[in-house]
Structures are given as C-alpha cells and as structure tokens.
Amino acid sequence: MLKSMLTCCKLYISESRNAVALELIEQAVKAHPEAVIINKFKDEVYNRVGYTIVSQIIRNSLFDVTPLRNAVFDMVKAAFESIDLESHSGTHPRLGVVDHICFHPLAQASLDQTAVIAKSVATDIGQELQGACCFVQCRKFDLVVYSIDFIIYLVLQNVVPTYLYGAAHEGGRTLDSIRRELGYFKPNSSGNLWTGGLKTVMMDLKPDAGPLQPSPEKGVVVIGATRWVDNYNVPVWCTDIEAIRKIARKVSERGGGLNSVQAMALAHGDNCVEVACNLLDPSIIGAYQVQCEVQRLALKEGFQVGEGYFTDFSQEKIIKMYFKSLSSDPTGR
C-alpha cells in the first residue's frame, strides 16, 4: 500500500473560534469518503486552523482522478458560505477566508500530478464557486427576479482572486513572493493584529483567476504545489516583538541564515512571541537546527526559549494514518 500514489492537501482557514463554521467545513469532506482529514491544527490566538487532507490518485487510461479535488472544493465553498473576513481578528497574517491551499505528493505520486490537481482546484474556485456564491447571495436577499446588472454585481462581489505558485504556476513563482507583494507580512491593526477584510487594491499583481480586486468579505486564495514543507514554531518568552523579528530574519535564508528556511515573528499571547518557520527542504535543514539557532540568537539577547513544535505530522506518519483510517473504516470515516 505504501507504493500507492497519494496527494496531501494542507488547507488553511482564517478562523478557529467559530465552532459552527468549522463543523460545516469538516462535514463537507464526508461526501468524499476516500478523502480523509488526517490532522486538524487549531490555534485560538492566531484565529487560524489548518487541515491536512489525504486521498489516493487513481490512474486510468485518460487521466488521473482523485477525490481530493472535490473534497477540497467543498471545504472551500463551506468556508466562504460561513465565514466573513471582515469580522476576523488574529495575530497570524492572512489574505483571505481560505488563506492558503498547498498540495504535496506523497508515496509514489509525482509533483506534476499534484500540480494538475492544484490547478484544477483553482479552476473550480474561479468558475464553479462563482455561480454557487452568487446563488447563496441572492437567496440571502430573498430575490425572485434579478436584473442582469444586479446579477453581475453579485458575481463580481463573490468571485475570489486566485494566485498560483510553485509547480502549479507556469513561472514557478514562490509563495512568499506573492505574500510579500500583497502585504501579507505587515499587520494592518494595532497590537500586531490582522483585523477585518483586505483593503489593498490588487492592480499591481494580476491574479491567475478572478477579479483584480478582492471583496473584503472573502479576500484572496493562494494555491500551490510543492515538495513537502515542515512547519515548525519556536516560542520565545518575551514581549519585545521587534527583537524577535530581528532574530527571525537572521534565522531565515532571506536574511543570510539557514538554507531553505523561512521565518517570521508572531505575537502569541501576552508574554510569548513565536518564531514561525517554514522548512522548505527538511532533508537539508530540519527542526533541530532551527531550534538550536533560535536558542543561540535569543540567549544572546537574554530571552528564554521554549521547545518548538510541529503543526503537522511527518510524511511517513500521515501515510500510515491514512491507510489505517481506510482499513479501520471502509468508508474512510
């Protein structure tokens, strides 16, 4: 079974406090029994939840088929129907209700196969979701007869600008380059918070699908396909976020630090700032090296450092958990 072709999707939702919305999002997967939620990482302070969903890729004579495509689309649809970005507040940056969707190949699957799935989901969001959201909005207004202009208005309000990266993008652009151009890393409120909907006009960075300007209720979606990425956060016990930002910069490759590591400092409670890291190639630089480097730099400044943690399981454990889930329940639930 470990030779099967599997695809993993990490889906990040800008919400962790609305239990009803999260239940609707999770219920959406149940229509696709071969797609399994392996992990749910919820952070109340960040007001963010990450889902790890896995399914097999079934190959036939014409094309590859995976239940993951439809499962992820239904989760996205449920999120847009139940969450309003304008009411969001948290200490983790975000660009949309569905902030980030990343696909990774597992077992014998290829990155090219994964990229096709990512682009298919982007197409689904850009085309099918447009009509679905318009219908929901019309029902909200309890309209029976609509003018063409009004329908166009509703469609434009609900189409979500979608950006592709990694193997899903023809030029192979990176996730952080999109985020940097869209102002992802700069808090838009006091107290190092991100609050409300997006206020930036997206004219300078054209999306791969959807309008140039996002709606404040939905924001934008960034979708990509890459090799496996580990997410590892290291808590530093202090309130001086500027000092920890300097440490995060020195840890990251961009700042001359560790190869294949991206890092940023995020407030996490009253007396904690986390160095949140993406390990783009864990086989080169893993969590141990990151932990040691953060400790070295923080101790020089007189800060105490806690033990870091992963926000997801390892690739190997995810594969085992997926097949165990299928064997213990043939429906995948």
Side-chain angles (χ1 to χ4, degrees):
M1 286 194 298
L2 294 182
K3 293 183 179 180
S4 298
M5 295 183 294
L6 301 179
T7 301
C8 168
C9 175
K10 294 187 179 183
L11 175 65
Y12 296 93
I13 306 291
S14 300
E15 180 60 65
S16 67
R17 304 164 190 168
N18 185 337
V20 174
L22 298 186
E23 177 63 22
L24 289 171
I25 293 167
E26 293 159 28
Q27 284 288 334
V29 184
K30 293 190 175 181
H32 312 279
E34 292 183 356
V36 182
I37 295 178
I38 298 297
N39 185 43
K40 173 185 176 182
F41 185 83
K42 185 170 70 170
D43 194 297
E44 296 283 342
V45 178
Y46 289 153
N47 201 7
R48 183 178 177 91
V49 61
Y51 293 101
T52 302
I53 315 104
V54 178
S55 81
Q56 296 188 61
I57 297 175
I58 303 167
R59 170 159 288 179
N60 62 29
S61 58
L62 297 177
F63 49 81
D64 297 333
V65 178
T66 174
L68 194 60
R69 172 181 176 177
N70 292 332
V72 170
F73 173 76
D74 284 350
M75 292 178 77
V76 170
K77 181 173 178 289
F80 284 145
E81 292 175 353
S82 58
I83 300 171
D84 184 347
L85 190 63
E86 287 193 295
S87 64
H88 182 273
S89 178
T91 62
H92 196 290
R94 76 290 186 279
L95 292 172
V97 166
V98 181
D99 183 60
H100 179 203
I101 305 174
C102 50
F103 290 89
H104 306 293
L106 294 177
Q108 297 300 308
S110 70
L111 184 57
D112 287 341
Q113 289 172 309
T114 306
V116 169
I117 298 168
K119 287 185 283 189
S120 297
V121 170
T123 299
D124 292 342
I125 293 172
Q127 295 180 0
E128 295 182 37
L129 195 59
Q130 167 180 314
C133 286
C134 182
F135 175 74
V136 170
Q137 190 77 17
C138 290
R139 289 291 300 273
K140 176 180 176 182
F141 283 103
D142 196 25
L143 297 177
V144 178
V145 179
Y146 329 108
S147 71
I148 294 298
D149 289 342
F150 186 63
I151 290 176
I152 292 173
Y153 166 78
L154 291 177
V155 169
L156 291 177
Q157 286 295 305
N158 287 290
V159 175
V160 181
T162 302
Y163 295 88
L164 296 174
Y165 76 92
H169 184 260
E170 184 176 346
R173 67 181 172 193
T174 61
L175 172 62
D176 68 311
S177 68
I178 298 173
R179 286 174 162 176
R180 207 169 299 281
E181 287 199 55
L182 299 185
Y184 176 88
F185 298 103
K186 298 177 181 178
N188 66 355
S189 183
S190 61
N192 297 297
L193 286 173
W194 282 262
T195 62
L198 293 184
K199 301 175 179 63
T200 304
V201 177
M202 304 296 183
M203 297 300 291
D204 293 334
L205 185 62
K206 184 179 179 181
D208 296 283
L212 292 176
Q213 184 168 345
S215 73
E217 299 89 355
K218 304 293 188 296
V220 308
V221 181
V222 183
I223 304 177
T226 70
R227 297 293 181 187
W228 186 260
V229 175
D230 273 338
N231 305 112
Y232 186 74
N233 298 345
V234 183
V236 182
W237 308 116
C238 76
T239 58
D240 189 349
I241 192 168
E242 288 302 326
I244 308 307
R245 281 180 178 143
K246 292 178 182 178
I247 290 174
R249 193 173 301 117
K250 291 178 181 178
V251 169
S252 68
E253 180 178 29
R254 182 180 175 85
L258 300 174
N259 187 23
S260 72
V261 173
Q262 298 172 336
M264 60 181 172
L266 299 175
H268 196 258
D270 294 335
N271 193 38
C272 179
V273 179
E274 289 192 337
V275 180
C277 301
N278 292 334
L279 313 185
L280 303 183
D281 192 341
S283 65
I284 296 177
I285 298 293
Y288 176 76
Q289 293 99 318
V290 170
Q291 181 76 35
C292 291
E293 185 64 4
V294 173
Q295 287 180 331
R296 184 184 72 83
L297 294 169
L299 289 176
K300 286 175 63 176
E301 303 298 324
F303 300 130
Q304 294 297 312
V305 177
E307 186 65 29
Y309 62 92
F310 291 99
T311 63
D312 206 348
F313 301 113
S314 67
Q315 297 181 70
E316 294 77 13
K317 187 169 183 178
I318 286 172
I319 293 170
K320 291 179 181 179
M321 290 174 70
Y322 173 75
F323 284 117
K324 183 178 180 180
S325 173
L326 294 186
S327 62
S328 61
D329 184 348
T331 67
R333 295 292 141 208

